[in-house]
């Protein structure tokens, strides 16, 4: 994508997007899991007023996401990296930011590994993989972003995309729920440690129509059950994208360390 002058995008400055000293282009919002599903939809939504740094495993899909985004000053960037390799995540990101002269002002961690299996079918490797993606990798990423020489203290906001599974049980969700529960616990401690410079929150979606859930929602029986259980019906990616946008904005300046349930009333429905 060709670089575009910031002067051609006045909406960026109007929405508080920062242009760091000696850098003609605005800082980025790093979005993991941006190659598909909820991460892709969040990226498309935020691209209206932000420059993005898109992360995922599949380069072709990341390029498809970028093609669907609104253009940005300097162009949206792509960092192809598999977050299962959590030990190398920080070093890879540092090298990428230096190579591209990029800075990150916000981090949205949407990458996830959904494995629905009963206890008898789980392996330690499966559990560890979920923790690598949901906990170890964001820790490594944040360690990189908090380094002054790497990111010039530009980071201001972090949003973790968790799940209502972190707080409510379901058969077959043990490994997934554990990884999301650990993510929410991480969020609370980081919110205290990184304040007041950085705010950290998480969003706990309920059932959202994405490629990750199409296998579940594609079953007529399950779809019917979801319709009964969700007072406001099944959610759409935009329901989460707009919450992300709010938490990244100045309108949420006094909010940190909070897990926000966005589930169409599912967890309030005791008749389900």
């Amino acid at each position: 994508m060709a670089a575009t002058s910031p002067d051609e995008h006045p909406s960026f400055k109007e929405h508080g997007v920062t242009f760091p000293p000696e850098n003609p282009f605005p800082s980025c919002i790093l979005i993991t899991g941006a190659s598909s599903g909820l991460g892709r939809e969040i990226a498309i939504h935020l691209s209206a007023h932000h420059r993005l740094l898109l992360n995922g495993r599949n380069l072709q899909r990341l390029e498809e996401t970028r093609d669907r985004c609104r253009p940005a000053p300097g162009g949206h960037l792509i960092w192809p990296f598999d977050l299962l390799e959590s030990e190398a995540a920080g070093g890879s990101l540092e090298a990428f930011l230096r190579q591209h002269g990029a800075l990150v002002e916000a981090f949205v961690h949407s990458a996830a590994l959904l494995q629905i299996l009963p206890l008898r079918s789980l392996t330690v490797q499966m559990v560890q993989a979920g923790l690598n993606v949901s906990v170890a990798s964001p820790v490594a990423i944040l360690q990189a972003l908090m380094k002054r020489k790497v990111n010039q203290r530009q980071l201001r906001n972090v949003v973790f995309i968790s799940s209502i599974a972190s707080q409510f049980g379901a058969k077959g969700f043990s490994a997934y729920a554990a990884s999301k529960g650990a993510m929410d616990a991480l969020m609370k401690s980081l919110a205290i440690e990184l304040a007041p410079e950085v705010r950290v929150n998480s969003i706990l979606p309920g059932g959202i129509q994405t490629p990750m859930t199409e296998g579940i929602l594609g079953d007529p029986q399950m779809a019917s059950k979801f319709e009964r259980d969700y007072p406001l019906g099944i959610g759409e990616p935009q329901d989460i994208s707009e919450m992300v946008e709010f938490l990244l904005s100045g309108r949420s300046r006094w909010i940190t360390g909070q897990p926000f349930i966005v589930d169409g009333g599912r967890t309030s429905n005791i008749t389900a």
Side-chain angles (χ1 to χ4, degrees):
M1 181 180 292
T4 310
S5 168
D7 293 336
E8 298 177 23
H9 294 268
S11 64
F12 277 70
K13 288 184 177 179
E14 291 171 5
H15 284 79
V17 180
T18 59
F19 289 71
E22 301 181 1
N23 190 333
F25 300 116
S27 299
C28 301
I29 295 178
L30 167 58
I31 304 174
T32 63
S35 56
S36 64
L38 192 52
R40 170 177 283 181
E41 296 303 321
I42 291 171
I44 293 170
H45 183 86
L46 294 180
S47 69
H49 304 297
H50 300 276
R51 188 187 187 201
L52 307 177
L53 170 51
L54 307 173
N55 164 259
R57 293 180 293 179
N58 190 304
L59 177 58
Q60 181 179 348
R61 289 184 178 181
L62 286 172
E63 290 174 341
E64 291 171 359
T65 299
R66 182 167 65 180
D67 289 343
R68 293 178 59 183
C69 289
R70 296 273 298 274
H76 301 300
L77 301 173
I78 289 178
W79 171 43
F81 183 83
D82 187 349
L83 295 182
L84 282 170
E85 307 295 329
S86 55
E87 291 186 4
S92 175
L93 178 59
E94 287 184 33
F96 182 92
L97 294 177
R98 288 192 177 103
Q99 178 185 351
H100 294 273
L103 300 172
V104 174
E105 65 175 345
F107 170 33
V108 180
H109 186 54
S110 184
L113 187 62
L114 177 60
Q115 300 177 102
I116 305 176
L117 291 168
L119 177 62
R120 64 178 179 274
S121 300
L122 285 176
T123 66
V124 172
Q125 289 77 15
M126 291 176 181
V127 176
Q128 186 61 59
L131 291 171
N132 281 350
V133 172
S134 293
V135 182
S137 283
V139 166
I141 288 170
L142 285 169
Q143 286 176 330
L145 295 179
M146 292 304 294
K147 291 181 180 179
R148 183 173 184 176
K149 291 184 178 179
V150 174
N151 200 42
Q152 298 180 21
R153 294 183 175 174
Q154 286 294 307
L155 187 67
R156 291 292 177 267
N157 281 295
V158 178
V159 176
F160 291 154
I161 305 300
S162 182
S163 167
I164 59 172
S166 73
Q167 298 191 11
F168 301 91
K171 292 181 180 179
F173 278 77
S174 298
Y176 180 71
S179 70
K180 293 299 188 178
M183 172 189 284
D184 289 338
L186 174 68
M187 174 274 295
K188 284 184 173 291
S189 288
L190 287 178
I192 304 306
E193 181 176 342
L194 302 182
E197 290 81 9
V198 182
R199 296 189 295 107
V200 189
N201 294 286
S202 63
I203 298 173
L204 286 61
I208 302 291
Q209 294 179 345
T210 69
M212 181 180 281
T213 60
E214 64 184 7
I216 301 173
L217 297 177
D219 182 323
Q221 255 190 331
M222 288 300 296
S224 177
K225 182 180 186 305
F226 270 60
E227 289 173 6
R228 293 194 306 271
D229 292 349
Y230 283 78
L232 298 183
I234 302 301
E236 299 179 357
Q238 184 176 353
D239 298 320
I240 307 304
S241 298
E242 292 186 351
M243 188 65 181
V244 172
E245 185 176 39
F246 168 73
L247 289 175
L248 295 181
S249 74
R251 292 172 292 167
S252 61
R253 57 167 295 277
W254 209 46
I255 299 174
T256 196
Q258 302 304 312
F260 290 91
I261 293 178
V262 184
D263 70 348
R266 171 65 182 90
T267 54
S268 296
N269 186 6
I270 64 171
T271 61

